[in-house]
Amino acid sequence: MVPQNQIGKSAMMLALFGEGADQMALMKTLEDDGFSVTLGKIGTMESHKIVAAVETAAKKNGIISSELYREEHALYHATMEALLGVGRGVASFGTQLRTVGLRFAIVRGRPYSNPEEGEWLAVAFYGTIGAPVKGFEHEALGLGVNHI
Amino acid sequence: MVPQNQIGKSAMMLALFGEGADQMALMKTLEDDGFSVTLGKIGTMESHKIVAAVETAAKKNGIISSELYREEHALYHATMEALLGVGRGVASFGTQLRTVGLRFAIVRGRPYSNPEEGEWLAVAFYGTIGAPVKGFEHEALGLGVNHI
Amino acid sequence: MVPQNQIGKSAMMLALFGEGADQMALMKTLEDDGFSVTLGKIGTMESHKIVAAVETAAKKNGIISSELYREEHALYHATMEALLGVGRGVASFGTQLRTVGLRFAIVRGRPYSNPEEGEWLAVAFYGTIGAPVKGFEHEALGLGVNHI
Amino acid sequence: MVPQNQIGKSAMMLALFGEGADQMALMKTLEDDGFSVTLGKIGTMESHKIVAAVETAAKKNGIISSELYREEHALYHATMEALLGVGRGVASFGTQLRTVGLRFAIVRGRPYSNPEEGEWLAVAFYGTIGAPVKGFEHEALGLGVNHI
Amino acid sequence: MVPQNQIGKSAMMLALFGEGADQMALMKTLEDDGFSVTLGKIGTMESHKIVAAVETAAKKNGIISSELYREEHALYHATMEALLGVGRGVASFGTQLRTVGLRFAIVRGRPYSNPEEGEWLAVAFYGTIGAPVKGFEHEALGLGVNHI
Amino acid sequence: MVPQNQIGKSAMMLALFGEGADQMALMKTLEDDGFSVTLGKIGTMESHKIVAAVETAAKKNGIISSELYREEHALYHATMEALLGVGRGVASFGTQLRTVGLRFAIVRGRPYSNPEEGEWLAVAFYGTIGAPVKGFEHEALGLGVNHI
């Protein structure tokens, strides 16, 4: 069972694992515990494409409703917070001549024992940031958590 | 063996795991592969105490030299970048009525296959950020990577 | 009737009006339309006192529940966003030798015609920011809006 | 009469009112009291277009001189500060996949009783910020005040 | 003669030179050309003390009037902009466990050939920033320019 | 001889001087003392072009190796820090309708008396920032210092 209050850890782990048995096992555990999960990846110099990739993945996989701004708003802020971790205080990349290659994981569910705390959302990124030259890059990651 | 170029992932995993068998196994693997590792924890509203806790742990465990500003400079910037992930763009907490409880991991070594790329340093935080009220908090994390 | 989608405008108007007939009339209209409203004021150099003043007013007047972190989290982010408007990108004051004197208004309710959009929250500040010298100040304001 | 020291409140009110009798009445009062006022609107994802729209409106209506950099400099900083309120710490929108629709008001005059305090300038924005999807947006506003 | 439009360069040079013949010669040239100049120094971990030191020096030496908020406002923003250069995007130091030792220069006058561009102000800092350990520091500087 | 610990001052001076005898004399002194130096200039509204101009100049003149990410990483962060001084907290220009014309200097060498402190790098910018209108601009500068 995923420990309560740890959708952030779970999302980060999924992004760190990448494809494979560990990722599949954790996804299954999360889904068995009632969490919704989706994964994706994006490589770009433009931060708005990252936001769009996360939204598209979340809507296509039913993590958020396409009809409700409320849910888009919760996801948007979680995504921007996670991007601030990747950019370490800045959420734009190409304007600074940096390119990113990121895996992401989105987890939605009830992390608190008190049922009235309702649903929360975690967005995690893991990948590389660097110059637009192969291998000239280091790792970067970020996590955003929001109520939904 | 720890895959090359992944001291950031390794540091983040160590912080996410917390005390236990998984953490010990990963530490051992890292040390066998020639990386230096140290762990710590800190709970505070004052970000300068977090910086001090990381520096103290790094010096005490020989991750960086106490004598060389160069090494302190590398660690300082990696720490500040990791804190920007925790604060999602802001590296101060108490002035915003937030308190944090964080575990941290520091990994030093050679993540690139080209030996001339030399040593790098990763600092990772994982824990909670929230109001100064028990349970009124959610997860936060951050990673900083720097050459040393 | 308060036009839909305008809890932000309403909160800002309440803070701009200050005590008097206009403020009372708008409060009454909002309450008749099903919105919860509370008002307050704070003068300080320390931003965490502003956050605390808003939270205390909101809890005391039943705008948010004291028991639910979810609600505190929504209010906290709306407050911080409003403070970024007051400080124009910075949410700390005393560390920069500035003092603020602010009135604030908090409005909670359903601003969207689609009932599934649920409840939202607006926090507005209006007042002065300046040197700690009487009269050496100009106006400042900010608004934060969040789903709750 | 407009109370002294409140060109910021006046500019914000004009932007909040939008077209109509209230706006016209306040504009007339301000002009009778010796203030210069202009209004405009702009919808875009690109913040430099907002800056340009405000400058164009200000120059065309004689709020600032097209010949003096000094006046453009004062207006520019007031505009950027107001945009930081709209973006709550960030003054770019499209790079974050956000679009804004804003009304703005610019007021120039002498808000202080001491005539040597000279002329000041207030720029206020009010409107919406959101995803590039109709209705997926909430209110946002900002105010900048500068000496000229 | 100081080239027009270069009060920023002049202020930065004065701060870089430090006490000595070069500094005295440049000061004399500036004063002969009708500029007002003052110098100072400050070592601290608290940014509000830097702001206060600059203001005190400026008022004591008649660079700005103690009676006019307008002038304090112009100086304040020039000072904060110069501090952002020192802190490279952050204007607080002690909260990040950094200490600074800075020389500063303030220059006021008419840098533009068009007399209607009026008076402008430049604030420059030069010194060190680092850990609170002797020698664990590197150089930092910043410049702010504003109309007055 | 260049005083120890002052590669930042040296780089800033080179950028302030511009072409001429003073610049050539300082460059010669620095090279005699074992420092590597290169100069350049760039006018643009796009910050990524500034980053690219600095990198190209540094690689072409052998200040950093084109083969080592480690060196590119050190230069990149020094450049971004210097740009934060130019933009006073923001490292993008065109998105804010500003254009810059900058001279830059890069100095690499051993500024500390302890040889184990190794090599450091300083990047300095000096020039103008302003509206895209001739003469509507004021001076701006910045310095970044990093270990390499």
Side-chain angles (χ1 to χ4, degrees):
Chain A
M1 204 202 80
V2 173
Q4 280 183 320
N5 214 7
Q6 300 198 327
I7 57 171
K9 178 177 175 175
S10 300
M12 192 72 255
M13 286 293 215
L14 288 171
L16 288 168
F17 284 147
E19 284 174 37
D22 283 343
Q23 196 186 54
M24 284 182 66
L26 178 51
M27 261 189 98
K28 189 173 178 324
T29 306
L30 285 162
E31 288 170 352
D32 289 351
D33 287 349
F35 293 92
S36 307
V37 183
T38 197
L39 305 169
K41 62 174 80 174
I42 174 82
T44 186
M45 295 185 83
E46 293 172 70
S47 49
H48 67 89
K49 290 192 181 165
I50 307 173
V51 178
V54 171
E55 282 199 14
T56 301
K59 287 178 180 170
K60 208 168 147 187
N61 295 285
I63 305 293
I64 66 164
S65 159
S66 304
E67 308 300 315
L68 289 179
Y69 171 49
R70 178 185 190 76
E71 302 213 335
E72 195 272 348
H73 186 251
L75 178 63
Y76 178 75
H77 281 275
T79 304
M80 290 309 298
E81 294 194 356
L83 274 184
L84 285 169
V86 172
R88 283 139 297 142
V90 178
S92 70
F93 305 107
T95 56
Q96 307 188 14
L97 204 60
R98 293 291 100 170
T99 188
V100 296
L102 298 170
R103 293 197 297 252
F104 59 84
I106 317 173
V107 179
R108 176 179 178 161
R110 299 175 177 277
Y112 295 94
S113 54
N114 179 351
E116 290 184 48
E117 290 293 1
E119 286 188 298
W120 292 67
L121 196 64
V123 176
F125 291 106
Y126 168 72
T128 56
I129 187 168
V133 173
K134 195 172 159 42
F136 274 38
E137 65 204 12
H138 63 63
E139 294 159 282
L141 56 78
L143 171 69
V145 175
N146 207 356
H147 63 283
I148 191 163
Chain B
M1 206 203 79
V2 173
Q4 278 183 320
N5 213 9
Q6 301 198 326
I7 57 170
K9 177 176 174 175
S10 300
M12 192 72 254
M13 286 293 215
L14 289 170
L16 288 168
F17 284 148
E19 284 173 38
D22 283 342
Q23 196 187 55
M24 286 181 66
L26 177 51
M27 263 190 95
K28 191 173 178 322
T29 305
L30 286 162
E31 288 169 352
D32 289 351
D33 287 349
F35 293 92
S36 306
V37 183
T38 198
L39 305 168
K41 61 175 81 174
I42 175 80
T44 184
M45 294 184 83
E46 292 172 70
S47 48
H48 67 89
K49 290 193 180 165
I50 306 173
V51 179
V54 171
E55 283 199 12
T56 301
K59 288 178 180 170
K60 208 170 150 187
N61 295 285
I63 305 291
I64 66 165
S65 160
S66 304
E67 307 302 314
L68 289 177
Y69 171 48
R70 178 187 191 73
E71 302 215 333
E72 195 272 348
H73 186 252
L75 178 63
Y76 178 76
H77 280 275
T79 305
M80 289 309 297
E81 294 195 355
L83 273 184
L84 285 170
V86 172
R88 282 139 297 140
V90 177
S92 71
F93 304 109
T95 56
Q96 307 187 15
L97 203 60
R98 294 289 99 170
T99 189
V100 295
L102 299 169
R103 295 196 295 251
F104 60 84
I106 316 173
V107 178
R108 177 181 178 159
R110 300 176 176 276
Y112 295 94
S113 52
N114 179 351
E116 289 184 50
E117 290 293 359
E119 285 189 299
W120 292 67
L121 196 65
V123 176
F125 291 106
Y126 168 70
T128 55
I129 186 166
V133 173
K134 196 173 158 40
F136 273 38
E137 65 204 12
H138 63 64
E139 294 159 281
L141 55 78
L143 170 70
V145 175
N146 207 358
H147 62 283
I148 191 164
Chain C
M1 205 201 79
V2 174
Q4 279 183 319
N5 213 8
Q6 300 198 327
I7 58 171
K9 177 176 174 175
S10 300
M12 192 71 255
M13 286 294 215
L14 288 171
L16 288 168
F17 283 148
E19 283 173 37
D22 283 342
Q23 195 186 54
M24 285 181 65
L26 178 51
M27 263 189 96
K28 190 174 178 322
T29 306
L30 285 162
E31 288 170 351
D32 289 351
D33 287 350
F35 292 92
S36 306
V37 183
T38 198
L39 304 169
K41 62 174 79 174
I42 174 82
T44 185
M45 295 184 82
E46 293 171 71
S47 49
H48 67 87
K49 290 193 180 166
I50 307 173
V51 179
V54 171
E55 282 199 14
T56 301
K59 288 178 181 169
K60 207 170 148 187
N61 295 284
I63 305 291
I64 66 164
S65 160
S66 304
E67 307 302 315
L68 290 178
Y69 171 48
R70 177 185 189 75
E71 303 214 334
E72 196 271 349
H73 186 252
L75 178 63
Y76 178 76
H77 281 276
T79 304
M80 290 309 298
E81 293 195 356
L83 274 184
L84 284 170
V86 171
R88 283 141 295 141
V90 178
S92 71
F93 305 108
T95 55
Q96 307 189 14
L97 204 60
R98 294 289 100 170
T99 188
V100 295
L102 298 170
R103 294 196 295 252
F104 60 83
I106 316 172
V107 178
R108 176 179 179 160
R110 299 176 176 275
Y112 295 94
S113 52
N114 179 351
E116 289 184 49
E117 290 293 0
E119 286 189 298
W120 291 68
L121 196 64
V123 176
F125 291 106
Y126 169 71
T128 56
I129 186 167
V133 173
K134 195 173 159 41
F136 273 38
E137 66 203 12
H138 63 63
E139 294 159 282
L141 56 78
L143 171 69
V145 175
N146 207 356
H147 63 283
I148 191 164
Chain D
M1 206 202 80
V2 174
Q4 280 183 319
N5 213 9
Q6 300 198 327
I7 57 171
K9 178 177 174 176
S10 300
M12 192 72 254
M13 286 293 214
L14 289 170
L16 288 168
F17 284 148
E19 284 173 40
D22 283 342
Q23 195 187 55
M24 287 181 65
L26 178 51
M27 263 190 96
K28 188 171 181 324
T29 306
L30 285 162
E31 287 170 353
D32 289 350
D33 287 349
F35 292 92
S36 306
V37 184
T38 198
L39 304 170
K41 62 174 80 174
I42 175 81
T44 185
M45 294 184 83
E46 293 172 68
S47 48
H48 67 88
K49 290 193 180 166
I50 307 174
V51 179
V54 171
E55 283 199 13
T56 301
K59 288 177 181 172
K60 207 169 149 188
N61 295 284
I63 304 292
I64 67 164
S65 161
S66 303
E67 307 302 315
L68 290 178
Y69 171 49
R70 178 185 189 74
E71 303 214 333
E72 195 271 348
H73 186 253
L75 178 63
Y76 178 76
H77 281 275
T79 304
M80 289 310 297
E81 294 195 354
L83 273 185
L84 285 170
V86 172
R88 282 140 298 141
V90 177
S92 71
F93 305 109
T95 55
Q96 306 188 13
L97 204 59
R98 294 289 100 171
T99 188
V100 295
L102 298 170
R103 295 196 296 250
F104 60 83
I106 316 172
V107 179
R108 176 180 178 159
R110 298 175 178 277
Y112 295 94
S113 53
N114 179 352
E116 289 185 50
E117 290 294 0
E119 286 189 297
W120 292 67
L121 196 65
V123 176
F125 290 106
Y126 168 71
T128 55
I129 187 167
V133 174
K134 195 170 159 43
F136 273 37
E137 64 203 13
H138 63 62
E139 295 160 282
L141 55 80
L143 172 69
V145 174
N146 206 357
H147 63 282
I148 190 163
Chain E
M1 205 203 78
V2 174
Q4 278 182 320
N5 213 11
Q6 298 197 329
I7 57 171
K9 178 177 175 175
S10 300
M12 191 72 254
M13 288 292 217
L14 289 171
L16 289 167
F17 284 148
E19 283 174 38
D22 283 343
Q23 194 186 58
M24 285 181 66
L26 178 51
M27 260 189 98
K28 192 176 176 321
T29 307
L30 285 162
E31 288 169 352
D32 289 351
D33 286 350
F35 292 92
S36 306
V37 183
T38 197
L39 304 168
K41 62 174 78 173
I42 174 81
T44 184
M45 294 184 83
E46 293 172 69
S47 49
H48 67 89
K49 289 192 181 166
I50 307 173
V51 179
V54 172
E55 282 198 14
T56 302
K59 287 177 181 172
K60 208 169 149 188
N61 295 285
I63 305 291
I64 66 164
S65 160
S66 304
E67 308 301 315
L68 290 177
Y69 171 50
R70 178 186 189 74
E71 303 213 334
E72 195 270 349
H73 186 251
L75 178 63
Y76 178 76
H77 280 276
T79 305
M80 289 310 299
E81 293 194 356
L83 274 184
L84 285 171
V86 172
R88 284 139 297 142
V90 177
S92 71
F93 305 108
T95 55
Q96 308 187 14
L97 204 60
R98 294 290 100 171
T99 188
V100 295
L102 299 169
R103 295 196 295 253
F104 60 84
I106 316 172
V107 178
R108 176 180 178 159
R110 300 176 177 276
Y112 295 94
S113 53
N114 179 352
E116 289 184 50
E117 289 293 0
E119 286 188 298
W120 291 67
L121 196 65
V123 176
F125 292 105
Y126 169 71
T128 56
I129 187 168
V133 173
K134 197 173 156 41
F136 273 39
E137 64 204 12
H138 62 65
E139 294 159 281
L141 56 78
L143 171 70
V145 175
N146 206 357
H147 63 283
I148 191 165
Chain F
M1 206 203 77
V2 174
Q4 279 182 320
N5 212 9
Q6 300 196 327
I7 57 170
K9 177 177 175 175
S10 301
M12 191 73 253
M13 286 294 215
L14 289 170
L16 288 168
F17 284 148
E19 285 174 36
D22 283 343
Q23 195 186 56
M24 286 181 66
L26 178 50
M27 262 189 95
K28 191 176 177 323
T29 307
L30 285 162
E31 287 169 352
D32 289 352
D33 286 350
F35 293 92
S36 307
V37 183
T38 198
L39 304 169
K41 63 174 79 172
I42 174 80
T44 185
M45 295 184 82
E46 292 172 70
S47 48
H48 66 89
K49 290 193 180 165
I50 307 173
V51 178
V54 171
E55 283 198 13
T56 301
K59 289 177 179 171
K60 207 169 150 187
N61 294 285
I63 305 292
I64 67 164
S65 160
S66 305
E67 307 302 314
L68 290 178
Y69 171 49
R70 178 185 189 75
E71 302 214 335
E72 196 269 350
H73 186 252
L75 178 63
Y76 178 76
H77 280 276
T79 305
M80 289 310 298
E81 293 194 356
L83 274 185
L84 285 170
V86 172
R88 283 138 298 141
V90 178
S92 70
F93 305 108
T95 56
Q96 308 187 13
L97 203 61
R98 294 289 99 171
T99 188
V100 296
L102 299 169
R103 294 196 296 252
F104 60 84
I106 317 172
V107 179
R108 177 180 177 159
R110 299 176 177 277
Y112 296 93
S113 52
N114 179 351
E116 289 185 50
E117 290 293 1
E119 286 188 298
W120 291 67
L121 196 65
V123 176
F125 292 106
Y126 169 72
T128 55
I129 187 168
V133 173
K134 197 173 157 41
F136 274 38
E137 64 203 13
H138 63 64
E139 294 159 281
L141 56 76
L143 171 69
V145 175
N146 206 357
H147 63 283
I148 192 165

